[in-house]
Amino acid sequence: MNRILVVEDEARIASFIAKGLRAEGFTPTVVGDGITGFDYAMSGEFDLIVLDIGLPGMDGFTVLERLREEGSALPVIVLTARDSVTDTVAALEGGAADYMSKPFRFAELVARVRLRLRSTGQTVVNEDLTAGDVRLDLRSRRAYVGEREVELSAREFALAEVLIRHRGQALSREQLLSHVWGYDFDPGSNVVDVYVGYLRKKLGAALVTTVRGVGYRVE
């Protein structure tokens, strides 16, 4: 089971990331400042770091710089401010493996985590998810019903992935919003219901069950 270090000082975002990673089968550890983050990163106990830039004690750029100076090749996914091209360029030039701009969708973050772990030869979760005759190929991001490929948008695929990964479990609309649309999405939106309708049309009406008063479930 891969261990992920999350260095993020905003409690709401840190909790959002940690809960999501745990649900996906990873083991997250959260710290809230750069100095502690650097010390943890150098412990050799982690497979990847999710690193915020705006940290107290030591900012994310400095953490990244010191890691590389110490010879650490640990993959780092940097969280940058919204639309900050300067932060993005600086992070990549400083040795980051990838970056995410805030606000972000959890499904995209976890896909990037898996990609970076795979590229470093770390153990990752199964590349296929199945439910009945529906199969999702996580590597190519393609969906199939039986042998027939079905075209899904990025959001449709992310929603299908979350539901199938947690098959047998009823997920609330709020949980699905957080995983697929991000932590700052309007909780009053009916976008989940709309996209469940899209999945039923494309992957079969029986795939997703409505759980009255709760949300949705894939059996």
Side-chain angles (χ1 to χ4, degrees):
M1 187 176 293
N2 295 110
R3 297 197 60 184
I4 311 298
L5 177 62
V6 180
V7 189
E8 168 61 67
D9 66 320
E10 291 188 48
R12 183 170 63 98
I13 300 175
S15 175
F16 164 73
I17 296 171
K19 285 170 61 178
L21 289 173
R22 197 171 292 112
E24 298 296 329
F26 298 102
T27 302
T29 297
V30 175
V31 297
D33 67 272
I35 295 172
T36 306
F38 174 76
D39 290 340
Y40 274 52
M42 291 300 297
S43 70
E45 297 180 3
F46 297 94
D47 302 308
L48 181 142
I49 309 173
V50 177
L51 177 67
D52 186 34
I53 291 298
L55 294 168
M58 182 191 300
D59 67 30
F61 291 127
T62 306
V63 172
L64 182 59
E65 180 182 4
R66 288 191 59 189
L67 284 174
R68 298 308 180 230
E69 286 177 350
E70 293 294 329
S72 172
L74 200 62
V76 177
I77 298 178
V78 165
L79 303 181
T80 70
R82 186 198 304 260
D83 298 329
S84 176
V85 176
T86 302
D87 281 1
T88 299
V89 172
L92 293 175
E93 289 184 345
D98 208 339
Y99 71 95
M100 296 283 295
S101 297
K102 295 180 180 179
F104 55 85
R105 294 175 291 138
F106 179 77
E108 183 178 354
L109 174 62
V110 78
R112 292 180 185 230
V113 166
R114 290 195 184 102
L115 175 63
R116 297 308 161 192
L117 290 173
R118 187 185 304 121
S119 67
T120 58
Q122 299 288 345
T123 302
V124 294
V125 294
N126 194 356
E127 300 291 351
D128 284 348
L129 289 176
T130 59
D133 60 351
V134 174
R135 178 172 64 89
L136 302 182
D137 184 328
L138 300 181
R139 181 185 290 272
S140 65
R141 311 300 287 179
R142 290 190 172 95
Y144 300 87
V145 177
E147 297 300 316
R148 177 174 59 90
E149 183 176 347
V150 179
E151 185 174 340
L152 298 182
S153 69
R155 289 281 172 89
E156 290 167 350
F157 191 96
L159 179 59
E161 179 181 352
V162 171
L163 285 165
I164 294 176
R165 191 176 294 282
H166 297 88
R167 55 189 175 277
Q169 177 183 346
L171 298 177
S172 69
R173 289 171 176 81
E174 290 75 17
Q175 287 175 301
L176 294 170
L177 274 171
S178 290
H179 273 74
V180 179
W181 282 269
Y183 55 87
D184 67 340
F185 204 87
D186 178 10
S189 171
N190 70 338
V191 68
V192 172
D193 308 280
V194 172
Y195 272 75
V196 166
Y198 295 158
L199 290 184
R200 285 170 170 164
K201 288 179 181 178
K202 293 184 175 183
L203 301 179
L207 176 67
V208 184
T209 301
T210 301
V211 181
R212 189 176 300 277
V214 181
Y216 295 102
R217 178 177 62 219
V218 166
E219 302 295 349

